[in-house]
Amino acid sequence: GIATYVTLTTDAKQKVQAKYMQMESEFKDSLYVLASRLGENKPIEDALRHTQTFLPNNLVSQEVFGKTVDNIHVLGMPLEAAVFDPAYGSLKHNPSRMITTSMKIAIDSVQLGVGVAARTLVSLSRQLGNTERVSKMLTVLIKDITGTMKLVSVYIAPIVLGITTSLQRIVVVTLVSINATSAESQPPSNLA
C-alpha cells in the first residue's frame, strides 16, 4: 500500500515537472516568434495572438500567451496584470522562475516601445538558447564524474570499509591482550 501511494504521488509530481521543463525548453522559440512579430511594429496583443496561432503545439504559447491575450481581451486587464495578477494572471500557477523573469523583461521592454521590445526579446531568446546548450554540455561533462562516484560508492567504498573494520578489530584485540598481559605481570598489592 505504501509503495503504491509513493509511486502514484511521485508519478504525478514527475508529470508536472516534465510539463514545466517542456514549457521552459519551448519558451525561447516562442520568444523569438513574439519578437519577430513585434519587429513588424505590431502591438503586443497581436504579437501574443500570432505566437499562439503560429505555435499551436507549444504549451507555453497556449497556456501563457493565450491566457494573457484572453485576460486582456475578455477581462480588460492591462498587460502586466494579465500576466502577473494573483487571481487571474497567466503565470498564476507557473513555478518557472525563468519564464516569470523573462515575462517581466518583456513587459518592461514593451513599455519602452515595440522596437526596443523586439530587440530585447531576440537577445533574450538567444541567451536562453546559449544557456540551454551550456547546460547540456555540463551534463555531459559531469556524467564522467558521476560515473566515477557511483563506481567508488558501489565497489571501492565497501572494500575500504571492510579493511578499516578489520584493522579496527585487530587494534582492539591487541590493546585488550596488552592490557590483560600487563594486569597479570603486576604483583598484587597488599592492602592489609
Side-chain angles (χ1 to χ4, degrees), residues 17 35 40 53 57-58 67 80 103 113 120 142 146 153 160:
Q17 183 181 16
E40 298 171 358
T53 56
N57 296 328
N58 275 8
K67 177 102 169 108
E80 188 169 359
M103 289 302 289
T120 302
I142 291 176
T146 56
S153 67
V160 171

Side-chain angles (χ1 to χ4, degrees), residues 99-135:
I99 293 175
T100 303
T101 304
S102 299
M103 289 302 289
K104 284 181 185 176
I105 291 170
I107 290 169
D108 290 343
S109 63
V110 165
Q111 292 174 356
L112 299 173
V114 290
V116 173
R119 289 190 299 274
T120 302
L121 294 181
V122 166
S123 297
L124 183 59
S125 175
R126 287 183 184 154
Q127 181 182 0
L128 292 175
N130 291 338
T131 302
E132 186 176 348
R133 278 194 296 274
V134 168
S135 177

Side-chain angles (χ1 to χ4, degrees), residues 51-101:
T51 305
Q52 181 188 11
T53 56
F54 188 76
L55 300 170
N57 296 328
N58 275 8
L59 284 173
V60 72
S61 66
Q62 298 305 314
E63 291 191 13
V64 176
F65 297 158
K67 177 102 169 108
T68 301
V69 170
D70 290 344
N71 286 345
I72 291 170
H73 290 295
V74 175
L75 299 177
M77 299 175 118
L79 178 62
E80 188 169 359
V83 176
F84 296 113
D85 187 71
Y88 300 107
S90 59
L91 295 180
K92 176 182 165 187
H93 297 294
N94 194 320
S96 173
R97 288 184 184 170
M98 188 261 296
I99 293 175
T100 303
T101 304

Side-chain angles (χ1 to χ4, degrees), residues 144-154:
D144 292 337
I145 296 170
T146 56
T148 304
M149 291 175 69
K150 286 179 184 176
L151 175 74
V152 167
S153 67
V154 171

Side-chain angles (χ1 to χ4, degrees), residues 166-185:
S166 299
L167 288 174
Q168 179 186 11
R169 185 172 184 183
I170 291 169
V171 168
V172 168
V173 168
T174 304
L175 289 175
V176 168
S177 67
I178 289 172
N179 190 21
T181 306
S182 68
E184 289 176 3
S185 65

Side-chain angles (χ1 to χ4, degrees), residues 42-56:
K42 300 291 182 183
I44 186 69
E45 296 85 8
D46 290 346
L48 289 170
R49 178 70 71 195
H50 173 75
T51 305
Q52 181 188 11
T53 56
F54 188 76
L55 300 170

Side-chain angles (χ1 to χ4, degrees), residues 1-13:
I2 294 173
T4 303
Y5 172 76
V6 169
T7 303
L8 292 176
T9 56
T10 56
D11 281 348
K13 289 177 185 177

